[in-house]
Amino acid sequence: MRPEEELTSAAATGNTERVKHLLQSGVNGNGVNGFQRTPLQVMMMGSTPVARLLLEHGAVPNVRDCSTGTTPLHDAARTGYLETVRLLVEFHADSQATDNNNCRPVDLAQLNGHQEVVDFLLSI
Amino acid sequence: MGCQSAYAYQAMAQEVQYEPVAQIGGGAYGTVYKARDRESGQFVALKSVRVQTDQDGLPLSTVREVALLKRLEQFDHPNIVKLMDVCASPRTDQETKVTLVFEHVDQDLKTYLEKAPAPGLPAHTIRDLMKQLVNGLEFLHSHRVVHRDLKPENILVTSRGQVKLADFGLARMYSCHMALTPVVVTLWYRSPEVLLQSTYATPVDIWSTGCIFAEMFRRKPLFCGESEADQLGKIFEVIGLPSEEDWPADVTLKRHNFSPQKPLPFPDHVPEICSKGEDLLKKMLSFDPLRRISALNALHHDYMKEED
Ligand SMILES: Nc1ncnc2c1ncn2[C@@H]1O[C@H](COP(=O)(O)OP(=O)(O)OP(=O)(O)O)[C@@H](O)[C@H]1O
């Protein structure tokens, strides 16, 4: 398996140890897998440790999904994982980014009833 | 035939609707992808299995298994991952790809435990997780579904703290392939009867649940064996070596292969557990599957009733 493929899969399954090991052995944190997605785009959104490792290794937070325009902040907000939302924002994720339906992360949090995430995103 | 082509059409529609973004699992039997539902924008888990077909189409066992999953779905159980769609796409005359579309949950119990700040999860959180986990299990068992591979990676936890069991019900579809190809699977949550290759049923899931219960306190696995014999050895260090009468007949690993051990008090391994919790854990980690507590009784155990 290509190392980029391994890193995206490790991120998607929330395998912190594996992500750490791959990043430390020099795998590109912004490399794409066979589906043209970066690790941050496919990571297990609830895994703040994985998100932190990726961001600290220079993963770019403002990448848009090639078919829906979704950013990782949209996904973290929609699924309601507040700690990951905070972390992405701390690493300069654009809270005003819009997806192809013209929704911002806060709209998706609202739509899915994640009030804490809504409050946080409105407070910044 | 009509049914087959209707399925094929559906399968094409499905390939347009669900776009894979990463592989999250896979073995000899097929592959699991995290994918995006283009319609809703949400993630889904796509699970595909290759099955052998003949002139009659899909094997009856597969048809039955899918029917069972669909029947379970009708109950809309809060602690079971939702099955959203099923599709079959013929690949060749002899092979069909069956794809199951599940709701995707972006956190598993492994991650949840890893994130818990020191000194670990509060007692009331552990109780709440256990109630939900056993509730989901009781539902599966009451429909005669054995999960068989319960572990922190396939116990999912939503951002609202809702527990959902994943990866159940395809046991038979998978097992025919697994017998042919050695896949590396974790032994840590395996019950003694599975490790000894004796007969087994729903109690295997209770054993796994016991291991996971202990892990919620410890924040690390209870028994980390490296082989079947090593795993059993680690288990006996804690629960003691079972008596000769309890040892199953017709198994290759014999009791005399293990050194005599007295059971150790659970709190040595599971710090902070309350006495009712300890009692439940003991009943879950009973060597004899017939004496192991059932999911239904576990749900009504005093530990579950305690107020925090
Ligand atoms: N509905 C779901 N939502 C999110 N993740 C899921 C879902 N279903 C399965 N998964 C994840 O996909 C991973 C792989 O699934 P699966 O267990 O079938 O494949 P595997 O790699 O063969 O592992 P296993 O040893 O469990 O058989 C699991 O770790 C599980 O966490």
Side-chain angles (χ1 to χ4, degrees):
Chain A
M1 220 197 284
R2 286 167 53 234
E4 291 80 14
E5 209 68 49
E6 255 183 86
L7 181 59
T8 48
S9 286
T13 50
N15 190 340
T16 313
E17 285 311 306
R18 193 86 196 117
V19 168
K20 189 186 217 161
H21 171 82
L22 290 166
L23 286 170
Q24 283 174 352
S25 53
V27 179
N28 178 5
N30 288 305
V32 294
N33 64 7
F35 303 112
Q36 305 305 311
R37 283 7 186 243
T38 66
L40 204 67
Q41 286 183 292
V42 303
M43 70 182 174
M44 184 186 268
M45 288 296 155
S47 180
T48 319
V50 163
R52 181 172 291 282
L53 279 168
L54 290 170
L55 291 163
E56 284 175 353
H57 280 80
V60 177
N62 295 313
V63 271
R64 302 178 76 233
D65 187 274
C66 45
S67 65
T68 58
T70 316
T71 68
L73 187 58
H74 281 96
D75 285 323
R78 180 175 43 75
T79 50
Y81 295 98
L82 180 61
E83 291 312 308
T84 305
V85 167
R86 283 180 189 278
L87 188 69
L88 285 164
V89 169
E90 185 188 319
F91 280 82
H92 312 295
D94 179 7
S95 65
Q96 301 304 312
T98 52
D99 65 15
N100 293 353
N101 290 326
N102 221 14
C103 287
R104 294 165 304 160
V106 67
D107 301 322
L108 298 183
Q110 186 92 63
L111 213 60
N112 289 279
H114 300 301
Q115 196 54 45
E116 286 185 327
V117 175
V118 173
D119 294 343
F120 171 73
L121 287 171
L122 290 178
S123 75
I124 54 176
Chain B
M1 189 60 211
C3 176
Q4 285 264 341
S5 51
Y7 264 137
Y9 170 73
Q10 239 183 330
M12 275 159 59
Q14 190 191 44
E15 272 163 31
V16 177
Q17 186 177 356
Y18 305 110
E19 185 182 5
V21 295
Q23 184 172 336
I24 54 175
Y29 53 81
T31 325
V32 192
Y33 294 106
K34 181 175 188 174
R36 194 184 295 277
D37 179 349
R38 285 201 178 94
E39 252 165 45
S40 67
Q42 291 175 353
F43 288 128
V44 293
L46 294 183
K47 213 162 178 169
S48 42
V49 198
R50 290 181 301 259
V51 292
Q52 305 300 313
T53 47
D54 56 23
Q55 66 275 19
D56 299 328
L58 290 173
L60 201 54
S61 62
T62 306
V63 174
R64 287 208 180 112
E65 203 143 23
V66 168
L68 173 64
L69 286 177
K70 285 187 166 175
R71 194 143 25 88
L72 293 181
E73 182 51 36
Q74 313 245 291
F75 290 87
D76 197 20
H77 195 278
N79 303 118
I80 298 294
V81 105
K82 274 186 84 56
L83 174 67
M84 300 162 68
D85 211 347
V86 183
C87 273
S89 41
R91 293 277 125 157
T92 64
D93 283 351
Q94 289 94 39
E95 200 178 79
T96 290
K97 189 174 84 169
V98 177
T99 303
L100 305 167
V101 185
F102 290 99
E103 111 188 73
H104 184 276
V105 178
D106 253 291
Q107 179 174 251
D108 60 15
L109 184 62
K110 181 167 174 260
T111 298
Y112 189 90
L113 292 177
E114 177 188 334
K115 286 201 304 191
L121 296 179
H124 68 90
T125 306
I126 296 183
R127 191 187 324 279
D128 175 49
L129 292 169
M130 280 299 287
K131 278 185 194 167
Q132 298 189 62
L133 166 52
V134 176
N135 200 32
L137 207 54
E138 196 280 320
F139 171 76
L140 291 181
H141 289 179
S142 70
H143 289 87
R144 290 194 225 100
V145 174
V146 187
H147 189 296
R148 304 215 290 188
D149 193 25
L150 210 55
K151 55 185 175 184
E153 287 88 340
N154 51 37
I155 298 171
L156 308 174
V157 188
T158 71
S159 57
R160 294 189 176 85
Q162 191 173 344
V163 171
K164 289 180 181 245
L165 306 184
D167 285 346
F168 56 88
L170 284 175
R172 262 159 298 159
M173 248 192 247
Y174 281 6
S175 57
C176 53
H177 290 277
M178 300 236 266
L180 302 171
T181 16
V183 250
V184 192
V185 286
T186 182
L187 299 168
W188 300 349
Y189 306 92
R190 293 267 147 112
S191 65
E193 64 273 24
V194 174
L195 293 163
L196 287 166
Q197 299 178 324
S198 178
T199 56
Y200 65 90
T202 52
V204 300
D205 293 335
I206 297 295
W207 178 276
S208 311
T209 304
C211 297
I212 293 162
F213 185 24
E215 189 166 335
M216 288 182 192
F217 291 94
R218 293 162 48 88
R219 289 188 298 156
K220 52 178 195 279
L222 181 60
F223 307 123
C224 306
E226 282 159 16
S227 66
E228 273 85 353
D230 184 41
Q231 182 70 20
L232 283 163
K234 296 223 156 79
I235 290 170
F236 299 150
E237 278 170 26
V238 174
I239 69 167
L241 186 65
S243 68
E244 193 63 68
E245 301 91 81
D246 284 347
W247 201 268
D250 316 319
V251 296
T252 34
L253 269 171
K254 299 295 177 204
R255 182 173 178 270
H256 66 245
N257 295 130
F258 299 90
S259 49
Q261 304 265 359
K262 285 241 169 352
L264 289 174
F266 273 115
D268 287 9
H269 306 275
V270 190
E272 315 285 327
I273 194 167
C274 60
S275 59
K276 285 174 183 163
E278 188 191 337
D279 183 71
L280 176 59
L281 181 58
K282 263 196 199 131
K283 289 174 171 154
M284 291 183 150
L285 297 183
S286 149
F287 176 79
D288 181 352
L290 297 175
R291 269 181 290 179
R292 209 171 290 153
I293 194 167
S294 68
L296 184 62
N297 288 337
L299 212 49
H300 295 118
H301 188 276
D302 281 348
Y303 168 76
M304 301 291 192
K305 294 185 193 134
E306 261 179 309
E307 296 290 327
D308 298 287

